Amino acid sequence: MACSKRQKVDLIITNATIYSVDSTFSKYSSMAISDGKIVALGQIREIETKYNSEKTIDANGKFIYPGFIDPHCHFLNYGITLSNASLSGAKSWEEVIERLVKHQKEFPSDWVQGRGWNQNEWEVKEFPTNDLLDKAFPDKPVYIVRVDGHAAIANSVALKMAGVNENTTTEGGELIKKKGKLTGVLVDNAIELVRSKIPEIQKTIKEKALMKAQENCFAVGLTSVSDAGLDLQDVLLIDSLQKTGQMKMRLYAMLNPTQENFDFFLAKGIYTTDELTVRSIKLFVDGALGSRGALLLKPYSDAPETIGLQVETTEKLKNYCKIAFEAGYQVNTHCIGDAGVRLIIDIYSNYLKFHNDLRWRIEHSQVVDPQDLPRYGQYSIIPSVQTTHATSDMTWADERLGNRIKYAYAYQDLLRQNGWLANGSDFPIENINPIYGFYAAAARKDLNGQPVNGFQVENALTREQALKGMTIWAAKANFEDDFKGSLEPGKWADFVILDRDLLTAEESDLPNSKVISTFVGGELVYQVK
Ligand SMILES: [Zn+2]
């Protein structure tokens, strides 16, 4: 029999447009898969003459891409916040409180928690005070986080429980006062004063959070996520859920710089399984632009008394980089302001001697002084950006930055330095859908198609670059490009079937792209209903 000469495989995909995102950006129409990995790609006839399978999927002419990778997000935290009140998109402080009250009626809890408020979206674009919060919740502690995670507001009960009063001070943080009275607004390190008083989340709740996060992420085509800042117990929980097969999402863990993490992981070297990589630490230099915590070289244009906040001492940052370097770990540092970026490059340059393959990253790289731009190339520092931040911030960022807006969100300029960059979302700060990042990168417009000519379009990415930023380059930023990020023989069969051609679809239509199905290791993990 002729077919006996054909190699038996687990699955054959036919009748597709497959963007392999390999080094020559080749396209195929068919793919053979076995043992969770890609065996071959080719035209339908080629694959059919060489392979046979009991299972074939006809893609009906749809489009296949490598499974999307979010190289900077907060996967566990996103899952946890799904049970908290969502405050994003609220048009006023009053609406924030209404939403909290409503959510508490449906889901009563000891602590009232929520996330996503943003005073820049209100008519009065100022930090709120907690008076209305006290009125709505006179007996229960309330703690709600700003959209960027770098500011929060607590009610008086919560402040009292935390032992915070007018005389409290913190390093690298601020307690905002109005006429000498606490407003409840906590910026950067001051957040910890209250957050640390919230009872520890139980393991069973975290398990549920991870499973729910996984379900939602598969539905938007994500097959790998990099969680930017995890504690030891969280990484161990993820590892155990992956080992029992409950969690199929692959995860790249960035460790918080705790002694526990150093002792357990860094002291023993790199830890990898098929689903998990642990080889990096996550540091913070500064806060965020919206809450004026980003560290700037010159004062804020709309607040000349401040240059922002350095949230970790230079001494500690140097020490953490030394520990990571000696352990062969990657360093990924949050830097939003131009002074933050300059400071971390100065520190990195002690270890990154000229061209290297250590792939130390600067997360966000939001405002980069033109003088520092070439230093990314000089020391092979990888920009890890979130293109949706540009289109989320563009309506107010110039108030903070003035003329400096010209070199903010400069993704094409950053890409040019090493020829690649990683593009993530930072969810839950932004939506989990990577297509929104793709669209923001290419169009530089928000979901309403604004501004019509795009925001600082000279820094748009091409569609090919935008696709690479969430596949092969994202994998590279995680040292995982040898086994994922593109569809090539020997790599994991992680892929997504989409209803749109991302390379040719009408620009305004891109955000409507729908995932038809998602596969991890050749296994179907999501199917549209
Ligand atoms: Zn983040």
Side-chain angles (χ1 to χ4, degrees), residues 410-446:
Y411 306 133
Q412 187 62 254
D413 287 341
L414 283 163
L415 189 153
R416 228 171 266 135
Q417 305 311 315
N418 292 290
W420 63 285
L421 54 64
N423 185 19
S425 71
D426 210 3
F427 72 71
I429 289 171
E430 301 279 356
N431 193 286
I432 60 170
N433 190 345
I435 298 294
Y436 293 170
F438 178 88
Y439 167 73
R444 306 276 290 190
K445 292 176 188 173
D446 66 17

Side-chain angles (χ1 to χ4, degrees), residues 76-133:
L76 171 60
N77 202 19
Y78 163 69
I80 292 167
T81 55
L82 286 175
S83 62
N84 295 338
S86 166
L87 308 174
S88 60
K91 290 281 169 281
S92 65
W93 177 229
E94 288 75 14
E95 189 185 335
V96 166
I97 290 165
E98 269 169 42
R99 286 198 198 179
L100 283 174
V101 171
K102 194 166 162 250
H103 189 266
Q104 265 303 296
K105 276 195 188 129
E106 281 174 60
F107 308 97
S109 55
D110 293 344
W111 275 73
V112 180
Q113 292 187 71
R115 183 177 184 123
W117 60 271
N118 181 0
Q119 81 281 10
N120 290 317
E121 292 178 348
W122 307 341
E123 200 158 309
V124 185
K125 293 182 176 38
E126 277 173 26
F127 274 140
T129 64
N130 60 11
D131 301 320
L132 287 178
L133 214 47

